[in-house]
Amino acid sequence: MDTSSPAFDVLSLNCPSRVVLQRIGDKWTTLVFQVLKDGPQRFSVIRGAVQGITPKVLTQTLRTLERDGLVSRRIYAEVPPRVEYALTPLGETLLEPLDAVRVWAEEHAAKILQAREDYDAQADSLQLP
Amino acid sequence: MDTSSPAFDVLSLNCPSRVVLQRIGDKWTTLVFQVLKDGPQRFSVIRGAVQGITPKVLTQTLRTLERDGLVSRRIYAEVPPRVEYALTPLGETLLEPLDAVRVWAEEHAAKILQAREDYDAQADSLQLP
DNA sequence: GTACTCGGTATCTAATTGATACTTTCACTT
DNA sequence: AAGTGAAAGTATCAATTAGATACCGAGTAC
């Protein structure tokens, strides 16, 4: 099977697709997408759902996703203020590949943890630091 | 459609699947996988193929992938020494989801770059920093 | 006026990444 | 015998990035 694209190659330095890959592979992007996949959510909901994210980093993440056209930001003139974030059509197309990775992670997490234990036990028995 | 797994949830703090996701989303992992997908390769070949990676970081990446059971490392007792890295069976199962993401990145890179231009032009016209 | 909510900034510190140079082992060349 | 070269990394230090924590401003309710 040929899965290559004509225009870009992630292995090339300075290739735009690599920058894009970086964004996708960002620590928090997948998690934010996971929260937004069922519809728009406000800042505080995302912050609560993505456990461990700090407001600064969430803001950064959302701003970058907005800049890249993957997420839209809408402010409602209410009090207290309401800001809703949603996936754009482009962002929606990313859901499928991202979900594939997430599902893989959830399905194989146990095996990887096991591999780590084995590896570390092996290293210990050889008295490596 | 229900794409959730019973045991793990990436949104939970300290969930193992999140650690796994981190590894997958690592800056260089996808690129190394891309090189190894057609068969074992030696260190210097990977270093040459993944443009921009430094030896230190490549070593780190490969060690971590080895520890996680995704890549195997084999030393040949030759001179000069030869070390070959290959995907393990577990690593092979990750190829598909990872490739989906890579293909998406290559296909949509142009749109994202366009979105960035638009965003930045907009920001400029509003005289934002 | 005091307190509360929401959606963030500001500031400072800790951890990670990256650039560059160096090391080791053995063979081969001169 | 001394120098050169290749492969697969380490070592060292600087720069970038992420994270913890505290704070801010608008507006309404009390």
Side-chain angles (χ1 to χ4, degrees), chain B residues 27-28 54-57 79:
Chain B
K27 178 167 183 179
W28 300 107
T54 62
K56 188 190 91 173
V57 174
V79 167

Side-chain angles (χ1 to χ4, degrees), chain B residues 11-12 28 32-33 36 45-46 55 62 70 72-73 77 81-82 94 103 105 111 120:
Chain B
L11 292 180
S12 300
W28 300 107
V32 169
F33 264 68
L36 294 182
V45 170
I46 305 173
L62 289 170
L70 297 169
S72 65
R73 179 173 184 268
R82 182 155 64 103
L94 181 53
V103 168
K111 282 180 198 163
D120 292 347

Side-chain angles (χ1 to χ4, degrees), chain B residues 28-36 46 50 58 61-62 65:
Chain B
W28 300 107
T29 295
T30 313
L31 307 179
V32 169
F33 264 68
Q34 189 62 16
V35 177
L36 294 182
I46 305 173
V50 180
L58 179 53
T61 304
L62 289 170
L65 290 175

Side-chain angles (χ1 to χ4, degrees), chain B residues 16-89:
Chain B
S17 71
R18 196 188 270 197
V19 181
V20 172
L21 200 66
Q22 224 82 298
R23 177 79 35 254
I24 297 170
D26 179 85
K27 178 167 183 179
W28 300 107
T29 295
T30 313
L31 307 179
V32 169
F33 264 68
Q34 189 62 16
V35 177
L36 294 182
K37 76 171 180 183
D38 293 324
Q41 294 293 349
R42 50 203 302 188
F43 188 89
S44 50
V45 170
I46 305 173
R47 183 172 63 182
V50 180
Q51 293 183 20
I53 199 168
T54 62
K56 188 190 91 173
V57 174
L58 179 53
T59 300
Q60 280 175 2
T61 304
L62 289 170
R63 285 289 185 287
T64 319
L65 290 175
E66 191 193 357
R67 185 169 107 103
D68 286 352
L70 297 169
V71 156
S72 65
R73 179 173 184 268
R74 183 162 178 196
I75 308 169
Y76 293 84
E78 301 174 357
V79 167
R82 182 155 64 103
V83 179
E84 276 192 352
Y85 293 90
L87 297 181
T88 62

Side-chain angles (χ1 to χ4, degrees), chain A residues 54-114:
Chain A
T54 62
K56 187 190 93 173
V57 174
L58 179 54
T59 300
Q60 279 175 3
T61 304
L62 289 170
R63 286 286 186 288
T64 320
L65 290 175
E66 191 193 357
R67 185 169 105 105
D68 287 352
L70 297 169
V71 157
S72 65
R73 178 173 184 270
R74 183 162 178 197
I75 308 169
Y76 293 84
E78 300 174 357
V79 167
R82 183 155 63 104
V83 179
E84 277 192 351
Y85 293 90
L87 297 181
T88 62
L90 181 60
E92 305 246 8
T93 68
L94 181 52
L95 266 181
E96 196 176 312
L98 231 46
D99 235 41
V101 172
R102 179 187 60 79
V103 168
W104 190 96
E106 290 180 350
E107 281 177 353
H108 296 81
K111 283 180 198 163
I112 288 190
L113 292 181
Q114 184 61 50

